Amino acid sequence: GFFQEHVTERPDENCRYRQVCFMYNMEDGTLGMTEPRIENSGIPQGQFLKRHRVPRPDGEGFVGPDDFRCGGEITLYGRTYHITGCDRFTRWFYEQNGVDIGEDEPLVEDRWQNDYKLRKVAERGGLPLSKQAMDAKLLTKFQTGQPAADLKLTQFLLNDRKVLRFKAYWDDSTLYGGRIYFVVHYYLADNTVEINEAHCRNSGRDAYPVFYKRGPLSKNTFVNAYPGMLSSDGGVYLPEDLKVGGTINVWGRKVVLYDCDDFTQSFYMKYMDYDQKVNVIDVAESPIKHLKLKPPPHNGVGTEEDSLINCRMVQPKPHKPDVAKLMMHSGENLRFEAKMVNGEPEDEC
């Protein structure tokens, strides 16, 4: 909340709004107040009211939770405060108890606070130049022979921190080469390109992601015969040259662009009316299938478990007994009676 304080002998203000924060402790019913510190205010700020039980103005008991409402007023020790809002926990507490605490109100600022903010913005150079100052700067450029508008500066001011982001890959056909994935950054502020490698986990490659340091990327790369030799400034990649599904030349390497982010998609749709998501390339690799040889059929020698162990291990181990079967049928024996049938009289009995 805040309270209004009268100011005398000041030409720029006649009253002042001082912001305060109420902290009511439910454990013992005490109330404390603090005032946020403002730079160069000239007022002793900080703790405004020590924590204690504050009596009500009518003398009937002490101030409690029922005395606080957003948009209402409360009087403490002869000074009236206007309550403007509360935090999320306080609002949740009142809602759980079925009490409507009211809606938050914007903070009120006096003339001194508005003038102080304006002075700080002017000190940091945040105010725009006047028309007379701009006309004077333009006249000075004409008198000194400078161009009327700095195109590079204008491009930087309009597109600073705007970056087009593409996903790309390069198939390295050299010995021990493979497919390498990149993240291509195109900076609209100065038409420069940066390419970083995007390695997966446990790829075995060095943790140095920079593949191409930020700078202008030429379409046809060449090296001058000697330093200082004049060369053409054209032939660099511009935003209209980067399209998903196409390729770019990075010093003799054919880099394929297969996807882009949402900002890049919206940029091309807004300024070029071109949909980058139409030619997205699916680079997902098919899952690897491991072929497993089936064991040969049992030849009848020994048990099938022993033969299978010989196929799985170079040094076979004895087959583990079935403990459950051993515990269940331990001590149980099957007995059979038989006689020999071979036609001999001595074996008939």
Side-chain angles (χ1 to χ4, degrees), residues 22 24 28-33 49-64 67-68 74-79 81:
F22 302 92
Y24 186 83
D28 53 1
T30 56
L31 176 66
M33 294 172 55
L49 181 66
K50 289 185 178 181
R51 176 179 174 180
H52 67 286
R53 301 185 69 184
V54 180
R56 292 180 177 175
D58 53 4
E60 298 180 358
F62 299 93
V63 175
D67 299 323
F68 294 93
I74 183 173
T75 303
L76 304 176
Y77 295 114
R79 179 174 288 162
Y81 302 87

Side-chain angles (χ1 to χ4, degrees), residues 153-319:
L153 178 60
T154 304
Q155 180 182 0
F156 173 78
L157 295 177
L158 294 177
N159 302 305
D160 185 25
R161 295 188 297 179
K162 294 182 180 180
V163 183
L164 303 180
R165 188 172 184 265
F166 294 90
K167 297 180 181 179
Y169 67 86
W170 166 50
D171 290 327
D172 186 5
S173 59
T174 59
L175 185 62
Y176 307 114
R179 175 169 289 187
I180 304 176
Y181 293 93
F182 301 116
V183 177
V184 180
H185 292 155
Y186 189 91
Y187 295 88
L188 297 174
D190 52 0
N191 295 333
T192 55
V193 178
E194 178 189 38
I195 303 178
N196 296 330
E197 298 182 9
H199 298 315
C200 61
R201 295 182 60 184
N202 300 327
S203 63
R205 297 184 179 273
D206 293 333
Y208 302 105
V210 178
F211 183 80
Y212 181 81
K213 189 173 66 173
R214 178 178 175 179
L217 181 61
S218 302
K219 299 179 180 178
N220 299 319
T221 54
F222 59 91
V223 179
N224 293 328
Y226 56 87
M229 183 177 178
L230 298 178
S231 60
S232 166
D233 293 336
V236 297
Y237 279 100
L238 298 176
E240 55 266 21
D241 300 323
L242 304 178
K243 296 183 179 180
V244 174
T247 60
I248 57 176
N249 180 24
V250 183
W251 288 88
R253 298 171 178 85
K254 183 180 178 181
V255 177
V256 181
L257 306 177
Y258 68 87
D259 201 357
C260 64
D261 61 354
D262 296 336
F263 171 76
T264 306
Q265 165 71 7
S266 61
F267 174 82
Y268 279 88
M269 287 294 296
K270 181 178 181 181
Y271 295 100
M272 302 182 186
D273 196 17
Y274 178 76
D275 189 4
Q276 292 278 15
K277 295 295 184 180
V278 175
N279 300 322
V280 173
I281 302 175
D282 186 11
V283 296
E285 299 179 357
S286 58
I288 301 176
K289 296 182 180 180
H290 297 279
L291 299 179
K292 186 178 181 180
L293 297 178
K294 296 182 179 180
H298 183 52
N299 56 5
V301 179
T303 62
E304 187 175 359
E305 290 81 4
D306 292 338
S307 300
L308 191 60
I309 289 294
N310 284 275
C311 298
R312 292 179 177 177
M313 300 180 182
V314 179
Q315 295 180 354
K317 298 179 181 179
H319 179 69

Side-chain angles (χ1 to χ4, degrees), residues 1-7 10 12-21 34-38 41 43 45 48 73 79-84 105-114 116-117:
F2 68 92
F3 67 94
Q4 187 177 5
E5 184 180 43
H6 183 66
V7 179
R10 286 293 301 269
D12 54 346
E13 58 177 347
N14 55 9
C15 66
R16 182 182 297 118
Y17 295 106
R18 298 177 60 176
Q19 310 293 333
V20 293
C21 179
T34 58
E35 182 179 6
R37 300 181 185 273
I38 301 177
S41 64
I43 303 174
Q45 297 172 329
F48 194 81
E73 294 183 351
R79 179 174 288 162
T80 302
Y81 302 87
H82 185 81
I83 303 175
T84 57
E105 298 179 356
L107 296 179
V108 181
E109 295 183 352
D110 50 26
R111 291 179 54 187
W112 182 88
Q113 291 177 346
N114 294 330
Y116 179 75
K117 290 182 178 180

